[in-house]
Amino acid sequence: MTKVAIIYHSGYGHTAKVADHILKGAQAVHGADVTLYKADDLTSPDKGPWSELAEADAIIFGAPTYMGSASAVFKQFMEAASKVWMAQGWRDKIAAGFTNSGSLAGDKLNTLQELAIFAGQQGMIWVNYGAFPGYNTSQSDYESAWNRAGHMIGLGTQSLTDLPADQTPDRADLETAEDFGRRVAEATKRWVRGKVDQALETA
Ligand SMILES: Cc1cc2nc3c(=O)[nH]c(=O)nc-3n(C[C@H](O)[C@H](O)[C@H](O)COP(=O)(O)O)c2cc1C
């Protein structure tokens, strides 16, 4: 089994919906065991499912973009994870990140960079999204385009601010989230296999 954890915060349910679709995509990968965790349950280093996270092969981090930055609750989680950093507990796990915001751009890149730097601080192996940007030619169809905002470092989705989470993000963004989940789970599977091969070589 390849264990993938998704840790996210969502103030109003939109980022939670994206997380659900990342889970769906990752679970479609044979042998992937994927679990969702709320950052709200991980804001203290001494409370929460930290020991389960220690067992994960990959952790996908997700936060809504609030004021051009990861949400405060997610940042509380990041700081609580400094205890893991002290023990280098997540070193060499796979990491990836996603964010969701009201605007198509909305300064999401800053949040994705924060997540990538956090993973770097933890000594994790960052997997980008890197999918072809689906909306950058005159022939592109806005309604169906995947990776519409063209983020490469991680996944960026858009939730229209006047709609509830059962109506936004739209289908194309949710399919993009599934594609991203699949990519991270597949990369994790290859990474875990490589570690097993390496251990056999040195045995
Ligand atoms: C405090 C706050 C700050 C926000 N700042 C931004 C922002 O900088 N850029 C943006 O595009 N949307 C911004 N938004 C909109 C949210 O990113 C958007 O509504 C998102 O879907 C919220 O996700 P959630 O439902 O998971 O909390 C902000 C919303 C709030 C509540």
Side-chain angles (χ1 to χ4, degrees):
M1 272 300 197
T2 302
K3 278 186 172 297
V4 178
I6 302 170
I7 304 176
Y8 71 94
H9 170 245
S10 182
Y12 305 92
H14 302 87
T15 311
K17 188 171 179 187
V18 177
D20 286 343
H21 283 264
I22 293 171
L23 172 101
K24 186 176 169 194
Q27 267 176 340
V29 175
H30 183 71
D33 171 12
V34 193
T35 310
L36 291 173
Y37 295 92
K38 289 187 176 175
D40 318 54
D41 298 330
L42 290 155
T43 55
S44 159
D46 302 315
K47 209 169 103 222
W50 295 100
S51 58
E52 287 178 38
L53 295 169
E55 300 299 314
D57 300 302
I59 307 178
I60 303 175
F61 302 111
T65 294
Y66 288 172
M67 303 312 291
S69 184
S71 59
V73 171
F74 197 84
K75 284 189 181 152
Q76 272 182 291
F77 151 70
M78 287 162 85
E79 290 184 22
S82 60
K83 196 165 177 183
V84 177
W85 175 81
M86 294 287 280
Q88 292 290 286
W90 292 348
R91 172 163 290 281
D92 290 345
K93 290 186 191 303
I94 294 287
F98 66 100
T99 188
N100 174 67
S101 82
S103 302
L104 184 56
D107 290 330
K108 280 194 275 274
L109 177 60
N110 190 55
T111 305
L112 294 174
Q113 286 172 329
E114 286 176 332
L115 300 180
I117 289 170
F118 172 64
Q121 291 241 344
Q122 295 282 3
M124 302 172 85
I125 311 292
W126 184 258
V127 173
N128 60 38
Y129 182 32
F132 200 80
Y135 189 66
N136 68 355
T137 72
S138 61
Q139 305 304 310
S140 306
D141 172 34
Y142 184 83
E143 297 294 320
S144 63
W146 286 10
N147 194 15
R148 213 151 33 194
H151 291 294
M152 300 298 182
I153 187 174
L155 171 71
T157 53
Q158 179 185 19
S159 294
L160 300 173
T161 54
D162 59 343
L163 295 179
D166 61 344
Q167 290 173 44
T168 188
D170 68 7
R171 193 144 70 91
D173 265 7
L174 297 177
E175 286 172 359
T176 307
E178 289 165 28
D179 186 49
F180 170 73
R182 236 180 343 261
R183 172 172 166 84
V184 178
E186 279 167 358
T188 307
K189 206 167 148 177
R190 288 195 294 274
W191 177 248
V192 169
R193 264 200 212 131
K195 284 205 291 191
V196 171
D197 287 351
Q198 204 174 36
L200 288 173
E201 272 169 22
T202 53

